[in-house]
Amino acid sequence: MRAILATVPVGARSVADVGAGDGQLSRALVERGLRVIAVERGAGPYQRLCRAVAARGVDCRLGLGLDPVRPGEVEGVIMAGMGAGTMVSTLERALALRHRLSWMVLQPQQADHVLETWLNGQTGHRLRRVTLTTEGGRAYKVLLVGAAG
């Protein structure tokens, strides 16, 4: 989680935490002063997330990927703890939202090359920084992605 937090751009104001899980990252982002929309897709995980962040001012939403977030509602997105293929399909489904993002922090759990190849295509975004980190004895990449241009 530290590497993800360290990758969020300085001065960031709002973010969607997709697949927010237990809300630890969402809580840490609120403590840094960001407005956070935390998204979970299953009813049970969503209810646990809402209980965990209820007093922290996190906006909890139930839905798949970025579907519950409207274009222009956040300037950035964090997706961590899921496979690269899931990230790509989530971002492809959210074309209107994706093109209004200033930044994305992505931490694929597997097949990171799939995500990097997709980003190098005609997505309107470019890879700005790659950080290697180890968590729980496993190595991961944390990608900072920004709008092209």
Side-chain angles (χ1 to χ4, degrees), residues 73-128:
E73 199 170 15
V74 293
E75 65 181 13
V77 165
I78 296 174
M79 286 192 280
M82 59 188 78
T86 300
M87 290 180 179
V88 168
S89 63
T90 297
L91 292 168
E92 284 184 339
R93 267 195 334 272
L95 183 66
L97 176 100
R98 188 178 82 221
H99 286 296
R100 299 210 33 206
L101 296 173
S102 299
W103 55 270
M104 295 183 279
V105 174
L106 309 172
Q107 183 194 35
Q109 294 293 302
Q110 66 228 10
D112 52 82
H113 64 282
V114 169
L115 181 59
E116 290 180 50
T117 299
W118 180 79
L119 287 167
N120 288 328
Q122 300 298 315
T123 63
H125 291 84
R126 70 181 187 115
L127 194 55
R128 302 224 182 245

Side-chain angles (χ1 to χ4, degrees), residues 9-25:
V10 173
R13 296 178 314 269
S14 60
V15 63
D17 180 7
V18 177
D22 63 6
Q24 286 184 42
L25 180 59

